[in-house]
Amino acid sequence: MSVKSKQRVTDHGEVFTSEREVNAMLDLVEEETERIDSRFLEPACGDGNFLIEILRRKLAVIEARYKKTCLEYERYCVLAVAAIYGVELLEDNVLDCRERLFKCCDEHYSTLFKTEASEEFRKAIRFILSRNILW
């Protein structure tokens, strides 16, 4: 586990779960993490260590199944992002979490559909994240 500052640990109990522990825990519910529409709520999401790994797993499934058609990929990507929820006490963490999730989604999308990539799709993803990752 890591920390941003001792003061934040003292004031808010803020610690960040390491990638190793995140993956070990998510492996216990692997089938759910790979179901595109499976919903996850992280009630103390920090900057998104659990949520980013859940999104990566869902995107891997979407890419394997729907990478041939941009519209289908977009549809299932929206479904996956819409099934991820987080609540966080500290505003900077919320903003960081939303941005991490967006960048992960956008990097996958842009890599697969360079010329077909849509700004409307990106706006939709940002909107969903603004509603699902809450301060």
Side-chain angles (χ1 to χ4, degrees), residues 17-34:
T17 310
S18 74
E19 189 175 342
R20 186 178 63 110
E21 279 98 15
V22 166
N23 281 307
M25 285 190 256
L26 291 177
D27 286 346
L28 297 172
V29 291
E30 185 174 6
E31 280 186 30
E32 288 301 309
T33 64
E34 294 174 353

Side-chain angles (χ1 to χ4, degrees), residues 26-88:
L26 291 177
D27 286 346
L28 297 172
V29 291
E30 185 174 6
E31 280 186 30
E32 288 301 309
T33 64
E34 294 174 353
R35 234 182 72 220
I36 297 167
D37 63 343
S38 185
R39 284 178 259 157
F40 284 86
L41 166 64
E42 173 60 57
C45 68
D47 63 1
N49 289 350
F50 277 96
L51 299 179
I52 195 79
E53 186 55 37
I54 291 165
L55 180 59
R56 284 184 187 128
R57 291 173 183 218
K58 289 176 179 279
L59 290 175
V61 171
I62 295 167
E63 184 175 338
R65 293 181 189 166
Y66 305 107
K67 67 181 173 188
K68 293 180 182 172
T69 309
C70 185
L71 189 58
E72 272 194 303
Y73 181 91
E74 289 173 347
R75 177 177 179 239
Y76 287 101
C77 190
V78 164
L79 186 62
V81 171
I84 294 173
Y85 302 88
V87 178
E88 173 54 27

